[in-house]
Amino acid sequence: MRRLTDALLAALVPLLILLHLFLAPYTKVEESFNIQATHDVLTYGVPVTDIYAKLHALYDHTSFPGPVPRTFIGPLALAGLSWPFAWSVEGLDRQILGICGERHFPRGYKWKTRQVLILDVHAVRALLGLFNAFCILSFRNGVAKGFGRYAANWYTVLQASQFHMMYYASRTLPNLFAFGLTTLASRYLLPSFTSTGYQSHVTTHNHKRALILLTIAGVIFRSEIAILLGAQTVYLLLQRRLTLQDTVSAGILGLSIGLSLTVPIDSFFWSRPPLWPELTGFMYNVLQGESVNWGTSPFHYYFTSAIPRLLLNPFTYQICIPFTLATRPLRSPALDILIPNLAFITIYSFQPHKEWRFIIYTIPPLTAVAAIGASWIWIRRAKSLAYRILALVLIASTLASFAASFGMLAVSRLNYPGAQALNRLHAVAHGSQDVIKVHMDTLSCMTGVTRFLQIPPSVAGSVWVYDKTDDETQLLDPSFWDKFDYALAERPEKAIGAWEIVDVIDGFAGLTLLKPGDREAAEVLGTAQQDISPSEKTLRRRGQGFWKWWKRFEDVMRKSVTKGWWVQARMEPKIRILRKVKMGVEVPLPLSS
């Protein structure tokens, strides 16, 4: 029975990651490079002849390189893992598997050749999400070995209730590619438990593994991990758990592995040998100070805003972590976990530009320390009234965190009007003419539009030509707009010429406070079900199921708990689908099937 309970709790992590992916499948601008690069590697392969010409003709990053180059290691890994799977499931239901079988295509269309078999963003992101879930569960097993099964189970529950971890684990941010490696490293740094008590050190072999993994993650994916690596290294040296020779050898090995991967591969794809993307990004953001262009935050931001939001449950950082540190048998191993991670956060706080994702690597260790305190409380809940009350509050706060996490999911999935607009356009216009040219503005591209959503030329009905031009000079030229049949626009007045609005796509615009007696706002799922693509119908069926469940939960809470008070998402028009008005020519729209 214990094993079954442990297994069911452990299953929460991958299941919730996949649920968040299933309900919010689209991506935003921060994930753009990696998801576009994964698509391009899957769709066009790696060129071996006319390399420069093919990369510039086919790959998205050559047209939209961004301020600094990013590594192709993550996209190559995802594409490599996805490719054999994609080629082996031609006879299966691709909609279930996440493959673009009927997605956006006319009813009855069948894949004719493997050349047009493209993997959907669902499956690609699922691979990343499941990798991160594996790393989280590996860390969980380390907690079980060091602190027992109750601590491990509380770690699993607390981690699973954190919205940001579950929602972003499958998202192709560079930090989430690094997250798995840093979590495995943290697992190797956890103290172990023996019959004589807590052992504040692990084997030298595991310590070196941890430093190697942190070095590789920092060299390839995110340069700020060098600070975490430095904090862990200094702490191990001060505690005499590693020799200087061991740390140097681990650092050299990790650096060699990282550089041997990133320099040749990224020099190839960016056609800029020799190139080390993370060094370039470090010089641009830190040495040149360009990161401040994306905003600055006060020194205390990570401690007063980011960590509470990431941990979500206030009981964990207000009660559980202090309780762990106040309990003598738990203090030493807890400090072994906390000191290097808090040192990393403190040092990194001197960097003016701050985002919660820059410190996400510290959340599993911080959650583990909270779980140690939670398990101590839970085991002793029958011994005194104080422990019983603490245990009840622990359960209540955890349930509230799950509710809050699902509430944030319900809101966050409304943030992708660009993807919904492109799906809608495909549904109403595909097959209306031989060639359809569409311009997609900046907001559309920032809120869900990726190459995975584009209809490939091999699909019968219409050949689609997509444009993402953002150069203001071209956008002010009337002749630029003459070549398009449709446009996705946040501000339709910027589209020069005669245009008509085909549809309007709503997006999230904030929260509304409902008072007792107030009726609910209009349905947030948007337009009716007619004239939308099969994939959009599928997504809305998913969304309606989730929304109906959420509405039932809202009704119960408003009647029984909040006495009518509630917070609800407010929607407003975000993207207009525009059709070019051609004088004397009426372009018929196909009837939906």
Side-chain angles (χ1 to χ4, degrees):
M1 187 63 183
R2 284 187 173 187
R3 290 186 177 181
L4 178 60
T5 302
D6 295 348
L8 290 175
L9 289 176
L12 275 176
V13 174
L15 290 178
L16 284 175
I17 289 174
L18 293 179
L19 176 66
H20 283 69
L21 164 60
F22 187 73
L23 292 174
Y26 301 127
T27 58
K28 296 190 80 171
V29 62
E30 297 88 352
E31 309 154 60
S32 177
F33 168 77
N34 284 306
I35 201 68
Q36 303 283 46
T38 303
H39 169 276
D40 293 342
V41 173
L42 272 172
T43 304
Y44 307 120
V46 179
V48 293
T49 59
D50 299 326
I51 296 171
Y52 181 85
K54 290 180 178 178
L55 287 175
H56 278 258
L58 300 174
Y59 274 58
D60 184 80
H61 74 285
T62 58
S63 300
F64 302 92
V68 293
R70 289 297 182 189
T71 183
F72 266 82
I73 301 295
L76 274 176
L78 285 183
L81 291 171
S82 304
W83 180 80
F85 175 75
W87 279 51
S88 65
V89 295
E90 193 165 355
L92 302 179
D93 185 341
R94 298 190 180 94
Q95 191 65 39
I96 295 175
L97 293 169
I99 305 296
C100 278
E102 296 179 293
R103 190 176 180 87
H104 314 310
F105 304 143
R107 185 180 297 275
Y109 175 80
K110 301 295 183 182
W111 289 103
K112 300 298 183 182
T113 66
R114 290 184 296 184
Q115 280 72 23
V116 295
L117 182 61
I118 57 175
L119 196 67
D120 186 73
V121 67
H122 296 71
V124 170
R125 283 184 50 197
L127 288 171
L128 177 60
L130 290 175
F131 169 71
N132 282 328
F134 166 80
C135 296
I136 290 172
L137 293 180
S138 177
F139 185 85
R140 179 248 179 224
N141 293 337
V143 174
K145 184 177 180 181
F147 302 97
R149 62 180 293 267
Y150 284 108
N153 287 340
W154 273 111
Y155 166 76
T156 305
V157 171
L158 293 177
Q159 192 81 88
S161 68
Q162 295 167 2
F163 166 73
H164 287 82
M165 292 303 307
M166 298 299 102
Y167 187 77
Y168 283 92
S170 68
R171 296 190 171 272
T172 55
L173 294 163
N175 312 79
L176 272 302
F177 281 103
F179 174 80
L181 298 179
T182 61
T183 304
L184 289 177
S186 296
R187 184 260 182 272
Y188 289 127
L189 291 167
L190 286 172
S192 58
F193 184 74
T194 66
S195 59
T196 59
Y198 284 107
Q199 186 179 334
S200 295
H201 63 279
V202 291
T203 64
T204 300
H205 182 63
N206 279 351
H207 281 144
K208 293 179 68 174
R209 277 185 181 178
L211 298 187
I212 291 169
L213 287 171
L214 289 174
T215 304
I216 293 172
V219 168
I220 295 177
F221 294 113
R222 291 297 304 184
S223 59
E224 71 265 11
I225 296 174
I227 302 174
L228 179 59
L229 170 65
Q232 294 285 5
T233 301
V234 170
Y235 187 77
L236 291 173
L237 288 173
L238 292 176
Q239 295 294 315
R240 298 183 178 179
R241 295 173 190 167
L242 267 187
T243 66
L244 183 60
Q245 181 179 354
D246 289 331
T247 60
V248 171
S249 63
I252 291 175
L253 180 57
L255 184 66
S256 300
I257 294 172
L259 289 178
S260 66
L261 289 172
T262 187
V263 172
I265 289 175
D266 293 314
S267 297
F268 172 86
F269 279 101
W270 288 94
S271 304
R272 291 168 52 184
L275 175 66
W276 179 4
E278 277 311 297
L279 177 60
T280 303
F282 174 79
M283 295 174 62
Y284 178 84
N285 289 313
V286 179
L287 298 184
Q288 299 176 22
E290 296 295 332
S291 63
V292 298
N293 295 330
W294 285 268
T296 61
S297 301
F299 180 86
H300 57 77
Y301 167 80
Y302 287 133
F303 292 100
T304 59
S305 179
I307 291 176
R309 281 191 294 135
L310 290 169
L311 293 177
L312 189 58
N313 185 345
F315 195 83
T316 58
Y317 55 86
Q318 292 180 0
I319 302 297
C320 289
I321 292 179
F323 188 91
T324 304
L325 295 176
T327 305
R328 186 179 297 274
L330 306 177
R331 186 180 304 143
S332 178
L335 288 174
D336 288 343
I337 299 172
L338 284 176
I339 289 176
N341 286 283
L342 294 180
F344 159 67
I345 297 172
T346 302
I347 295 170
Y348 202 43
S349 295
F350 286 97
Q351 176 68 6
H353 176 62
K354 298 176 179 67
E355 296 184 37
W356 62 261
R357 59 191 176 98
F358 296 161
I359 61 163
I360 197 169
Y361 328 109
T362 66
I363 297 306
L366 294 179
T367 304
V369 175
I372 296 167
S375 68
W376 187 274
I377 293 170
W378 184 253
I379 292 171
R380 287 157 181 79
R381 66 190 184 278
K383 291 188 175 182
S384 70
L385 179 61
Y387 277 119
R388 191 174 299 117
I389 293 174
L390 286 174
L392 291 174
V393 176
L394 175 62
I395 294 173
S397 65
T398 303
L399 292 175
S401 295
F402 274 108
S405 181
F406 279 105
M408 287 186 277
L409 171 60
V411 169
S412 297
R413 63 188 303 275
L414 305 175
N415 277 315
Y416 304 94
Q420 294 170 2
L422 186 57
N423 283 344
R424 173 71 171 157
L425 176 58
H426 287 158
V428 300
H430 189 77
S432 62
Q433 57 194 78
D434 293 337
V435 178
I436 300 176
K437 298 180 180 180
V438 55
H439 169 73
M440 303 173 293
D441 73 352
T442 300
L443 182 62
S444 301
C445 295
M446 292 177 65
T447 57
V449 169
T450 71
R451 289 190 168 194
F452 275 106
L453 298 184
Q454 297 178 4
I455 297 180
S458 54
V459 176
S462 298
V463 174
W464 286 78
V465 179
Y466 302 90
D467 177 80
K468 299 191 297 182
T469 299
D470 58 359
D471 180 74
E472 289 295 333
T473 302
Q474 295 188 56
L475 294 176
L476 293 174
D477 183 359
S479 63
F480 169 80
W481 295 94
D482 290 341
K483 58 188 177 184
F484 296 112
D485 305 295
Y486 291 89
L488 306 183
E490 176 187 15
R491 298 175 59 185
E493 66 272 15
K494 287 191 172 184
I496 300 174
W499 298 83
E500 63 177 341
I501 297 178
V502 175
D503 204 349
V504 179
I505 305 300
D506 292 342
F508 178 69
L511 297 173
T512 298
L513 179 65
L514 297 181
K515 300 177 181 179
D518 286 352
R519 302 195 58 162
E520 297 177 356
E523 173 61 60
V524 299
L525 290 177
T527 58
Q529 288 287 324
Q530 71 265 18
D531 296 335
I532 60 174
S533 66
S535 66
E536 191 70 12
K537 288 180 181 178
T538 300
L539 181 60
R540 292 195 180 181
R541 282 196 298 268
R542 301 174 189 172
Q544 286 177 343
F546 175 80
W547 196 251
K548 289 177 181 178
W549 175 88
W550 179 256
K551 285 301 177 187
R552 286 196 291 267
F553 172 76
E554 177 184 328
D555 291 340
V556 171
M557 293 297 291
R558 291 189 72 182
K559 291 177 182 177
S560 305
V561 180
T562 65
K563 306 303 180 183
W565 294 88
W566 197 250
V567 176
Q568 190 175 72
R570 177 169 54 86
M571 306 294 286
E572 68 180 22
K574 293 289 186 180
I575 305 293
R576 279 79 174 174
I577 302 175
L578 308 179
R579 180 174 58 186
K580 190 67 173 288
V581 176
K582 300 179 180 180
M583 300 303 177
V585 179
E586 183 177 352
V587 180
L589 294 179
L591 295 175
S592 62
S593 54

